[in-house]
Amino acid sequence: MAAQPKPIPAEYPSYLKGDPIGWLNTIDHKRVAVLYGVSALLFMVLGGIEALLIRIQLFEPNNKFLSAHAYNQVFTMHGTTMIFLVVMPLLLGAAANFIVPLQIGARDVAFPRINALSFWIFLSGAAFLHMGWFWHHGGLPDAGWFGYANLTERQYTPGMAIDFWDIGLLILGISTVLTGLNFFTTIVTMRAPGMTYMRMPMFVWSILITSILILLAFPPLTVGLIFLFMDRFFGTHYYQAVAGATPILWQHLFWLFGHPEVYIMALPAFGMISELLPTFSRKPLFGYPMMVYSVILIAFLSYGVWGHHMFATGMGPVADATFAITSMLIAIPTGIKIFSWIATVWGGSLRMTTAFYFALGFIIEFTIGGLSGIMHASVPIDLQQTDSYFVVAHFHYVLFGGVMFAILGSFYYWWPKVTGRMLNEKLGKLQFWLTVIGFNGTFFPMHFLGTWGMPRRIYTYGAGMGWTFWNQFETVSAFILGLAFLIMFINLLTSLFNGEIAPADPWDGRTLEWSMPSPPPAFNFVTIPEVHARDAFWARKYGSTGSRASQAPAVAGDPPNTEAAEHIHMPEPSFFPIVLAGGLLLCGLGMVVAWWRLIMAGGAIIFLSIIGMAFQYPTFGQKTHETEAASGGGGEDLRKVGVWAFIGSESVFFATLIATFMVYKSRNLGGPGANVLEIPLTSFSTFILLMSSLLMVLALAATQRGDRVWQRVWLCGTVIFGLIFLGDQAYEFTSLYGHGLGFTTDLFSQCFFTLVGFHGAHVAIGVIWLSVLLVASFMDRLPKSRALSVELAGLYWHFVDIVWVVIFTLVYLMQKVKGA
Amino acid sequence: MTAEAAIHEHFEEHVHPGASVYVTVAAFLVVLTAMEITVFYVSALASVMIPLLIILSVAKFALVAMFYMHLRYDSYVLTSIFMFALAIAALLLIALLLLFAYLSHYLWFMVPLARILLPGH
């Protein structure tokens, strides 16, 4: 048994203590995690009630409990809520936010203010999704969480509900991408000394790979939602066959995001299980390197399997075969993980806690979901099962039997670290068994019902279909599942007020979070730990051989050292994140109700908040916790890594826009098409933008030399060249309108204006960014020591330049090449 | 070593080029753009226009990324981040083009495999 922790001195209170207002402006990753967790649990209640409404409606044939329209709203919001407002925030916002910095030995995430911003934007997006309730022409979205086109077009779904869904998901997407950017940068740059990639805890690995998935998978969804927005508000026809477009484009864009999204939810769950099983088996994780490679391979393959959601659309035998093969391949690394988990438990000194129960339950339930998933990789079988209840059974075994079991296990595992209180194990085990009974009773019979032909998404069924008994069985089971969650909430609440005080290391843990007090102080570590082995804390306790007798156990609790703690600088709390998120909410609301003043007000709030946040960055001559971490981690400046990761995400965004342009450019040409594009004008614009890049690097060189005069000259030149480019673009657009090429003239024009317009918007943002730097330069606040600020703006500017290089070639110079 | 000293040393390691290199790269960019425009207007080059334009565009892209964005001088970590994202972006673009138009023409080698996997499809 590990040694008992020392008490925390009163001058270093836990992160939970403090002014309640401090929860609004907090940027502490642990508090942000708690905010995420509480919000997600509230939405879990909402999503759970929606699930029970579905089951009540299907309890008997020809039921009138819900109307068809209400049923559509309920199942749409159940899916949307559970995925975007419950599972993802619990895994990433709550668990990863709290645990990752502790496991890698960092004091916070790379960008604490952006972390808080992610949460408040998440809350704005969640509120936005539900705003239809309060609107006369609103109501809740009713086109499914997948929002298939062209059901979502205005003529098929009038009113505001889809608008709220569309813009709500765009807002949530911003939050998620910021979160992914933050975790990626944190893990790459802020690991404790000695924590090499192959010494990282498996949960950290899973979050690193998940972050990459987020950065590269969300842009196609963003583009798809933007197209839908334009169709509904500006009269374009991105998904309308009658205009020569195809609704299948939405399916491609959605599932390009949607299948990686499955792994965005599954990989963190895999990481959790990989933490729980070794701890409660008292053995190292079996086959750690293969587990790492498997996560990487799963993530990579997950980009190439989206078509298996679309076999029924008739993509053709070659495409079907390609996606069938990639979908089957993904079973190999997944199988490796399952066997490694079993081998981890095998022969271990097992400790049968509630968390371990859920971890074992995960292996069984997830494997069932995985096996039915492989069936869907086979095209002939999938064509029989698609859109039936068999699919509902499959994905609930993956997302509930897999992901939710991991989340529930993790609640019991990490709750003591988060709150400083233990959960009741008896209630926990009761919850586990009720969950197993309720879950399997609800979802296993769906395999039968699907095979017997019961379609998913129907709001009722006839009495003679033979589906009544199993539907009634499922409904009763669903209420048992609801009871299990009720017990969990009772357990959580009683633990908060009356739970046993948690020691620092209640499970004899293996990773660094167990080395500090429960709950930890605000700054996490007094001294950043040095890591010498994979299971860092276990090695400190028992020696790197894992033998308990080899070394005297280390003391859990990492007692604060007054002298050292005085030198820790934590960034100041900030209200800008909550204000900015409020601006985003206003902006979105203004778009839905077409009230330009509201959009302008929201935009102004966003703009001012971003400027405010930028000037709050604590690098102006003082040592910060970020810079300490940057030198201790991967050696790269975290802001530079963050900007590059953002550029990577933007690359996929523009690739999606360009792909759509290439697909649609020759379809249904009602207007003059590419013939009216002016090559001389755009050649001049290209020259101007390329030369602006030259001025930008010269500005950077001047800053690095400390030459303020030339710094201002070159920066000013870059801004002027950027403005000339924008002026050229405005002239070009006006000229094209004069030639009869309007935004909604045909598919070519809408794709052209969208692609080139988004590039122009990026140039405009770059001009604003550089103008702020120019002002800073004239205020003598851009010295040589802040050359990195110029370099970061330059990276963004050059990226905009190389995107234009591609657009100039593919859109303007290859105008005579036929589209796909 | 203090954190600031470590960072200072880090930046010293990645010395960026001087103005002469930047101007030379700019000259190359102008020449390459001129070549692109020439390829567009000269009808004799119509048959090889697509590969030529792609090569010229890639060259410009690479010059900006390597010299102006300093990938040639900075850590391989940054290059890896960008190249991986770029690869995914390119694969996405190619995949969508293939799915919408060219699949049956250009992936002919997949047809026998498809016949085995999907008998009677």
Side-chain angles (χ1 to χ4, degrees):
Chain A
M1 189 69 183
Q4 289 302 306
K6 292 181 179 175
I8 311 169
E11 62 267 35
Y12 296 110
S14 88
Y15 76 96
L16 291 168
K17 298 274 171 63
D19 185 3
I21 296 294
W23 286 89
L24 295 178
N25 65 353
T26 184
I27 57 170
D28 179 350
H29 71 102
K30 300 178 291 298
R31 283 188 164 209
V32 173
V34 171
L35 289 171
Y36 264 116
V38 172
S39 309
L41 285 175
L42 291 175
F43 285 117
M44 182 190 273
V45 173
L46 192 61
I49 290 170
E50 287 159 352
L52 291 178
L53 290 175
I54 292 172
R55 287 313 324 162
I56 292 170
Q57 170 61 21
L58 295 175
F59 182 74
E60 58 183 17
N62 302 312
N63 200 350
K64 300 280 191 296
F65 177 71
L66 293 175
S67 67
H69 181 56
Y71 184 85
N72 287 348
Q73 292 178 318
V74 168
F75 85 70
T76 297
M77 286 311 293
H78 169 70
T80 306
T81 302
M82 286 303 191
I83 288 171
F84 292 105
L85 311 184
V86 177
V87 172
M88 286 178 66
L90 280 178
L91 290 168
L92 298 166
N97 227 331
F98 199 97
I99 299 302
V100 165
L102 303 186
Q103 284 196 335
I104 65 171
R107 296 218 166 89
D108 207 318
V109 291
F111 308 112
R113 264 172 287 275
I114 290 179
N115 193 27
L117 179 64
S118 297
F119 168 72
W120 293 111
I121 292 179
F122 155 75
L123 206 58
S124 294
F128 207 82
L129 277 173
H130 292 87
M131 267 190 186
W133 265 337
F134 310 106
W135 235 263
H136 177 58
H137 295 293
L140 290 174
D142 57 356
W145 88 277
F146 38 80
Y148 278 162
N150 45 14
L151 184 60
T152 46
E153 297 284 342
R154 197 169 289 288
Q155 60 264 51
Y156 304 112
T157 311
M160 293 175 170
I162 295 297
D163 301 331
F164 282 117
W165 180 82
D166 185 37
I167 298 173
L169 287 193
L170 279 170
I171 294 174
L172 287 170
I174 295 170
S175 161
T176 310
V177 168
L178 290 178
T179 302
L181 196 69
N182 222 335
F183 288 144
F184 177 80
T185 310
T186 303
I187 296 168
V188 169
T189 62
M190 295 178 68
R191 301 186 312 280
M195 183 170 279
T196 59
Y197 282 106
M198 292 311 274
R199 283 180 184 165
M200 289 198 312
M202 206 55 220
F203 182 64
V204 177
W205 258 113
S206 71
I207 297 300
L208 175 64
I209 301 300
T210 302
S211 304
I212 297 171
L213 276 177
I214 287 171
L215 290 171
L216 302 182
F218 264 74
L221 175 69
T222 306
V223 171
L225 291 168
I226 288 169
F227 289 164
L228 178 60
F229 178 82
M230 290 183 169
D231 275 10
R232 290 183 66 89
F233 286 90
F234 298 119
T236 56
H237 304 97
Y238 277 101
Y239 304 125
Q240 299 212 8
V242 70
T246 168
I248 298 299
L249 176 68
W250 166 263
Q251 290 208 28
H252 279 298
L253 297 182
F254 183 81
W255 289 117
L256 262 163
F257 145 81
H259 202 84
E261 168 69 8
V262 173
Y263 291 97
I264 287 169
M265 293 186 280
L267 293 186
F270 291 175
M272 289 168 161
I273 295 302
S274 300
E275 297 297 316
L276 268 62
L277 291 178
T279 300
F280 295 111
S281 305
R282 294 190 177 97
K283 277 177 66 186
L285 184 66
F286 182 88
Y288 174 93
M290 289 308 290
M291 291 290 261
V292 171
Y293 303 145
S294 297
V295 169
I296 296 169
L297 194 57
I298 288 171
F300 185 73
L301 286 173
S302 76
Y303 284 111
V305 301
W306 81 88
H308 73 224
H309 294 270
M310 300 170 58
F311 284 145
T313 63
M315 292 182 293
V318 175
D320 285 358
T322 308
F323 286 117
I325 291 167
T326 52
S327 302
M328 287 176 191
L329 278 177
I330 213 164
I332 296 172
T334 311
I336 288 172
K337 295 192 81 67
I338 290 171
F339 283 117
S340 294
W341 286 323
I342 294 170
T344 301
V345 177
W346 187 264
S349 174
L350 305 184
R351 196 168 167 192
M352 303 302 288
T353 61
T354 306
F356 188 57
Y357 274 36
F358 274 110
L360 289 181
F362 164 91
I363 296 176
I364 296 164
E365 309 290 7
F366 177 75
T367 303
I368 295 172
L371 291 174
S372 60
I374 296 174
M375 294 183 202
H376 296 133
S378 168
V379 182
I381 295 174
D382 180 84
L383 290 174
Q384 297 301 313
Q385 293 170 341
T386 195
D387 278 344
S388 78
Y389 257 87
F390 192 94
V391 178
V392 182
H394 158 68
F395 69 70
H396 277 94
Y397 267 88
V398 172
L399 291 179
F400 195 109
V403 177
M404 189 51 78
F405 268 60
I407 290 173
L408 294 174
S410 299
F411 257 119
Y412 284 86
Y413 183 60
W414 278 310
W415 180 267
K417 184 56 62 188
V418 175
T419 65
R421 304 269 182 172
M422 301 297 288
L423 284 168
N424 185 306
E425 280 288 306
K426 281 184 184 167
L427 280 178
K429 282 168 185 162
L430 176 63
Q431 182 202 344
F432 170 77
W433 286 114
L434 285 174
T435 304
V436 168
I437 293 166
F439 165 71
N440 286 291
T442 305
F443 295 107
F444 200 82
M446 289 183 187
H447 292 107
F448 309 139
L449 288 170
T451 308
W452 295 336
M454 183 171 172
R456 62 192 287 201
R457 302 171 197 137
I458 54 167
Y459 86 106
T460 190
Y461 50 91
M465 300 303 291
W467 302 334
T468 309
F469 170 74
W470 284 115
N471 270 297
Q472 290 178 341
F473 185 85
E474 286 169 5
T475 302
V476 171
S477 302
F479 274 89
I480 295 173
L481 194 54
L483 179 63
F485 276 92
L486 184 63
I487 289 169
M488 181 188 83
F489 281 106
I490 291 170
N491 200 354
L492 299 184
L493 289 173
T494 50
S495 163
L496 280 181
F497 297 107
N498 203 22
E500 181 191 341
I501 299 294
D505 185 17
W507 316 119
D508 197 9
R510 310 180 75 85
T511 40
L512 287 174
E513 74 270 30
W514 304 110
S515 71
M516 61 182 57
S518 302
F523 46 79
N524 296 351
F525 300 92
V526 176
T527 311
I528 299 296
E530 278 198 35
V531 174
H532 301 286
R534 189 169 292 157
D535 288 327
F537 187 49
W538 183 268
R540 270 172 58 189
K541 286 189 289 188
Y542 303 119
S544 55
T545 59
S547 162
R548 299 178 193 198
S550 65
Q551 189 179 325
V555 176
D558 200 5
N561 172 316
T562 311
E563 192 180 341
E566 278 174 0
H567 296 291
I568 298 170
H569 295 277
M570 298 302 288
E572 290 297 315
S574 173
F575 278 107
F576 283 119
I578 191 170
V579 174
L580 197 157
L584 204 57
L585 192 67
L586 284 183
C587 223
L589 201 56
M591 286 177 187
V592 172
V593 299
W595 191 10
W596 292 104
R597 286 178 186 172
L598 207 56
I599 298 174
M600 297 298 282
I605 291 171
I606 292 170
F607 177 73
L608 293 174
S609 303
I610 290 173
I611 300 289
M613 279 175 74
F615 277 94
Q616 268 193 331
Y617 198 85
T619 57
F620 305 151
Q622 81 183 79
K623 185 178 161 188
T624 68
H625 80 290
E626 287 101 332
T627 50
E628 280 179 50
S631 63
E636 284 305 320
D637 184 275
L638 49 85
R639 285 170 293 168
K640 213 165 169 180
V641 171
V643 168
W644 272 108
F646 176 70
I647 285 174
S649 188
E650 286 270 87
S651 303
V652 181
F653 175 83
F654 275 107
T656 314
L657 284 177
I658 291 169
T660 306
F661 174 83
M662 302 280 281
V663 168
Y664 276 172
K665 64 183 272 192
S666 306
R667 293 190 182 201
N668 187 25
L669 286 174
N675 297 325
V676 291
L677 297 181
E678 295 185 39
I679 300 302
L681 176 70
T682 43
S683 300
F684 174 71
S685 299
T686 306
F687 173 77
I688 287 292
L689 203 57
L690 288 172
M691 289 308 102
S692 76
S693 265
L694 171 64
L695 301 187
M696 186 67 240
V697 279
L698 291 177
L700 173 62
T703 310
Q704 286 169 334
R705 288 195 310 270
D707 185 343
R708 296 197 184 181
V709 174
W710 283 105
Q711 175 196 63
R712 288 166 193 167
V713 169
W714 298 132
L715 271 178
C716 196
T718 313
V719 169
I720 290 170
F721 273 37
L723 289 171
I724 292 173
F725 179 86
L726 289 173
D728 275 356
Q729 199 167 59
Y731 173 79
E732 183 196 17
F733 281 12
T734 313
S735 166
L736 292 176
Y737 262 81
H739 285 93
L741 193 73
F743 184 38
T744 56
T745 303
D746 56 20
L747 288 180
F748 170 83
S749 70
Q750 67 188 40
C751 292
F752 170 81
F753 281 110
T754 305
L755 171 60
V756 179
F758 262 101
H759 177 266
H762 279 68
V763 175
I765 291 168
V767 167
I768 294 169
W769 190 345
L770 293 174
S771 302
V772 171
L773 285 182
L774 194 58
V775 171
S777 173
F778 279 109
M779 292 167 66
D780 282 336
R781 294 188 69 175
L782 205 56
K784 184 179 176 181
S785 59
R786 292 189 61 207
L788 189 62
S789 301
V790 180
E791 191 176 355
L792 297 180
L795 284 175
Y796 176 83
W797 190 257
H798 300 312
F799 171 70
V800 172
D801 191 0
I802 56 177
V803 169
W804 182 255
V805 166
V806 177
I807 290 175
F808 182 58
T809 302
L810 294 181
V811 176
Y812 290 91
L813 299 180
M814 289 193 186
Q815 58 180 249
K816 288 170 189 154
V817 178
K818 199 171 178 298
Chain B
M1 184 188 292
T2 66
E4 283 178 19
I7 289 171
H8 183 71
E9 183 178 283
H10 163 71
F11 282 112
E12 289 298 311
E13 282 171 13
H14 299 295
V15 178
H16 293 157
S20 59
V21 174
Y22 292 144
V23 173
T24 309
V25 169
F28 271 108
L29 289 171
V30 171
V31 171
L32 289 170
T33 306
M35 288 168 72
E36 282 181 324
I37 296 164
T38 308
V39 170
F40 176 79
Y41 280 113
V42 177
S43 53
L45 295 172
S47 58
V48 288
M49 185 181 80
I50 295 177
L52 275 180
L53 285 177
I54 289 174
I55 290 167
L56 292 168
S57 178
V58 168
K60 286 165 68 181
F61 190 104
L63 280 174
V64 175
M66 285 167 64
F67 291 94
Y68 287 176
M69 299 173 90
H70 303 129
L71 284 182
R72 189 166 183 269
Y73 309 96
D74 278 350
S75 159
Y76 75 95
V77 174
L78 304 178
T79 309
S80 309
I81 292 169
F82 186 49
M83 291 309 291
F84 183 74
L86 214 55
I88 293 290
L91 286 173
L92 181 150
L93 198 152
I94 292 166
L96 282 178
L97 291 181
L98 289 174
L99 280 163
F100 275 98
Y102 303 121
L103 198 61
S104 54
H105 301 294
Y106 291 100
L107 288 184
W108 52 269
F109 57 89
M110 291 291 289
V111 173
L113 196 57
R115 285 192 182 132
I116 295 167
L117 285 168
L118 307 166
H121 190 84

